[in-house]
Amino acid sequence: MQLNPIFILLAFLLSSCARIDQHSSKKTFHQQVDSILTESKFNGLVLISKGDSTVYAKTWGYADLEEKKPLKWESQFIIGSISKQITAVLVLQAVEQGMLDLKNPISTYLPELSAPWKDSITVHQLLTHTHGITALDTALAFQPGEQFQYSQLGYQLLAEILENVRGQPFQNLAQNLFAKHGLNHSFHPNDTSYKALVKGYEMLENGQFEYQTSSLQNYAAAGSFISTARDLNRWNQLLHSGQLLKKESFVRMQTPYATRAHPVFDSVVYGYGLLFAKGEAKHQIGALGYAPGFASALYFYPQSGYSLVVLENTARDLDDFKKTFQAHTSLMDLVKTLHE
């Protein structure tokens, strides 16, 4: 049977149009990302991927504004509260190995702690910011489990618990985790073998940027791990593919335990080191991170498999964090549409 030349030509044209449409769609997405970053005067790195495929990857601006040193993919950033999910994974791995029980009071693992509330707070409450600790030598702000109050100190206590049950410094535990999973450019801040940490800047009222020298002064377990865009992208893939935790542990990690008013999202639900809008754990889950001069976002999209990493080292509009993180949240909304 001889095929009609007209049908052959029509099939070829339809196939060509489909390829053009796919290329145009991809280009449009890239243009949208570029537009968001250009309008926000973004200075940092953005990496969007799906599995092993890179969807968008670009460096914008400088690692050192004074010297005009361009950012590179090896550039390292302080990741702020994204650090908390690393600490949470270390805690849950200890639970899996029978070294910790989330329901136990923290006095079980911190016998040297002298605070009168040590027997009334559980490991779970440290993970979920529902413990009420404001300082080691003061009374609790509320009864444990009754409220949410964001706490850096709570995650430092988790680091100390890990040190006691593991018999190793928290720094070593973190570095061992990174080394085991090929996160070779991620560091506990006390491990000064990192070589490519960029400078972090905050914008002053006169519009000038000032280099911040206090960016590493937070507790490491809560907010001062150092990493790169590629390492964080790999962390996302490892965490959400079950390579870091057993299924039961990861379910615990992304279970909603407490709701809080949030300076960027208005209201969010917290798991263990992860946060998401109410009912959105299957759509968009991760964390924002802030350290002086550093604004970061690390999110995963379970239904589509996309991963988003945003690392910025110039912070603007610090009187309104919604503006500080405007590029980050705009990119989050854009990536969320990729599976819709």
Side-chain angles (χ1 to χ4, degrees):
M1 175 178 163
Q2 187 173 4
L3 294 175
N4 190 318
I6 294 177
F7 287 115
I8 294 174
L9 178 61
L10 181 60
F12 173 78
L13 291 173
L14 289 172
S15 175
S16 298
C17 287
R19 287 196 298 271
I20 292 170
D21 286 345
Q22 288 175 359
H23 176 74
S24 175
S25 175
K26 183 177 180 181
K27 184 178 180 181
T28 300
F29 175 77
H30 279 235
Q31 288 176 332
Q32 287 177 289
V33 176
D34 286 346
S35 178
I36 289 170
L37 299 177
T38 300
E39 289 176 10
S40 68
K41 300 179 181 178
F42 182 80
N43 192 97
L45 307 177
V46 174
L47 177 57
I48 303 169
S49 68
K50 183 174 183 180
D52 294 329
S53 300
T54 299
V55 178
Y56 181 98
K58 191 176 286 190
T59 65
W60 291 69
Y62 301 104
D64 184 321
L65 297 185
E66 294 84 9
E67 300 294 331
K68 300 297 182 186
K69 293 180 180 178
L71 286 161
K72 301 178 181 180
W73 286 108
E74 295 75 24
S75 296
Q76 295 165 318
F77 292 69
I78 301 166
I79 62 174
S81 287
I82 295 170
S83 304
K84 291 182 176 67
Q85 60 189 271
I86 296 170
T87 303
V89 164
L90 288 167
V91 169
L92 288 169
Q93 288 180 342
V95 171
E96 290 176 353
Q97 294 169 22
M99 295 181 167
L100 281 177
D101 187 323
L102 297 175
K103 297 179 182 178
N104 278 348
I106 61 176
S107 58
T108 307
Y109 311 110
L110 295 173
E112 72 280 5
L113 197 63
S114 60
W117 37 256
K118 65 179 182 179
D119 295 319
S120 59
I121 293 169
T122 65
V123 177
H124 166 80
Q125 288 163 347
L126 291 183
L127 283 164
T128 56
H129 306 276
T130 56
H131 46 76
I133 303 170
T134 58
L136 295 180
D137 57 354
T138 61
L140 298 177
F142 51 83
Q143 281 296 109
E146 290 187 354
Q147 297 181 38
F148 179 102
Q149 183 170 291
Y150 200 64
S151 171
Q152 312 289 29
L153 178 56
Y155 269 71
Q156 171 59 22
L157 291 175
L158 287 169
E160 293 175 13
I161 287 172
L162 285 168
E163 290 182 333
N164 281 354
V165 300
R166 292 284 192 186
Q168 295 185 54
F170 181 68
Q171 173 184 337
N172 292 4
L173 299 174
Q175 291 304 142
N176 290 341
L177 175 67
F178 297 148
K180 179 179 179 180
H181 294 284
L183 304 171
N184 299 320
H185 303 284
S186 299
F187 293 90
H188 185 287
N190 289 349
D191 183 344
T192 55
S193 56
Y194 55 85
K195 302 298 182 185
L197 180 62
V198 305
K199 288 184 175 181
Y201 299 85
E202 291 184 349
M203 180 176 277
L204 305 177
E205 291 184 3
N206 62 8
Q208 298 298 309
F209 282 105
E210 181 178 70
Y211 169 47
Q212 300 299 304
T213 59
S214 63
S215 304
L216 287 171
Q217 291 181 6
N218 195 3
Y219 299 117
S224 61
F225 276 114
I226 294 165
S227 193
T228 64
R230 285 174 175 159
D231 268 18
L232 289 176
N233 181 65
R234 177 165 173 75
W235 172 268
N236 250 358
Q237 302 296 340
L238 291 166
L239 179 62
H240 292 271
S241 64
Q243 296 182 65
L244 296 177
L245 295 170
K246 296 178 181 177
K247 183 177 180 179
E248 179 184 357
S249 297
F250 187 57
V251 168
R252 281 177 168 176
M253 192 171 178
Q254 59 181 339
T255 297
Y257 297 110
T259 302
R260 71 164 283 203
H262 192 274
V264 178
F265 300 121
D266 296 328
S267 177
V268 292
V269 179
Y270 270 83
Y272 292 164
L274 296 174
L275 59 93
F276 44 93
K278 190 169 289 186
E280 281 216 335
K282 294 182 179 180
H283 302 284
Q284 179 175 260
I285 185 167
L288 298 180
Y290 190 80
F294 293 89
S296 308
L298 179 64
Y299 273 82
F300 190 79
Y301 299 78
Q303 290 186 332
S304 64
Y306 284 94
S307 172
L308 170 67
V309 183
V310 186
L311 298 174
E312 186 170 19
N313 63 318
T314 56
R316 307 165 186 269
D317 301 303
L318 293 174
D319 57 340
D320 184 351
F321 259 28
K322 288 186 178 182
K323 294 180 180 178
T324 307
F325 284 90
Q326 186 170 350
H328 308 63
T329 55
S330 295
L331 291 173
M332 289 166 60
D333 290 340
L334 180 61
V335 174
K336 194 163 64 169
T337 67
L338 290 177
H339 69 273
E340 294 177 353

